[in-house]
Structure formats: structure tokens, C-alpha cells
Amino acid sequence: MAYNKSELFSTELQTCSTLFKALGHPARLAILEYLAETKTCITGDLADEIPLGRTTVNQHLKELKDAGLIQVQPKEPGPVTALIPKMSGC
């Protein structure tokens, strides 16, 4: 019977692993740095600031959102991305 080996570890370690994975790519760090400077931005504008295509930026945003580091709120003229000010520590 196959099972996910990450289930062998505590929830805290699994959460930390997700966080560290999200922080493990330079593009994601650049996104976080940009958001720290600007506080919020229209999600589509990140593709103009980060030297990657829009689809790739969106994939990185998904990783950051899944790790609980950013929030994306639907608004006009486009989704707004912002850092989550308080997060649980590892």
C-alpha cells in the first residue's frame, strides 16, 4: 500500500517544509521583495517587474499563496496581490 511519506512527520514540520520550498526559488524571493517594497500590486504588473513570463509568474504566485505568504484578492482592473503581514513561524 502506497502512502505519502510526509505524513510520517509532524504538521509543524510539513508546514515549515512548504514554507521553505516556497522560499527556495529566486523568482519567489524577488516577488516577495517587490511586495515588501510596494505593499500591494495588481498581479499582472508583477510580470513587468520580474524577468519572467506572465504564466511563470502566476505559477510562482500560486506557490507563495499555497505557503500562506501572500494573498490574492479579485478586484478591477485585475487581481491584487499583497503580503500576509503575520504568519506562523517555523
Side-chain angles (χ1 to χ4, degrees), residues 19-66:
L19 173 65
F20 296 145
K21 177 184 175 195
L23 296 174
H25 195 286
R28 294 183 203 130
L29 293 175
I31 290 168
L32 292 173
E33 181 178 56
Y34 180 76
L35 289 173
E37 292 171 0
T38 62
K39 305 300 181 221
T40 64
C41 74
I42 296 174
T43 301
D45 292 346
L46 277 169
D48 297 333
E49 298 297 325
I50 307 297
L52 299 171
R54 193 174 288 243
T55 302
T56 304
V57 169
N58 285 335
Q59 290 170 343
H60 287 300
L61 289 173
K62 181 184 180 319
E63 289 287 335
L64 292 170
K65 184 179 177 188
D66 290 347

Side-chain angles (χ1 to χ4, degrees), residues 2-29:
Y3 58 93
N4 186 347
K5 292 192 183 206
S6 65
E7 294 172 358
L8 300 173
F9 300 96
S10 71
T11 303
E12 181 182 9
L13 287 177
Q14 291 178 44
T15 301
C16 289
S17 176
T18 301
L19 173 65
F20 296 145
K21 177 184 175 195
L23 296 174
H25 195 286
R28 294 183 203 130
L29 293 175

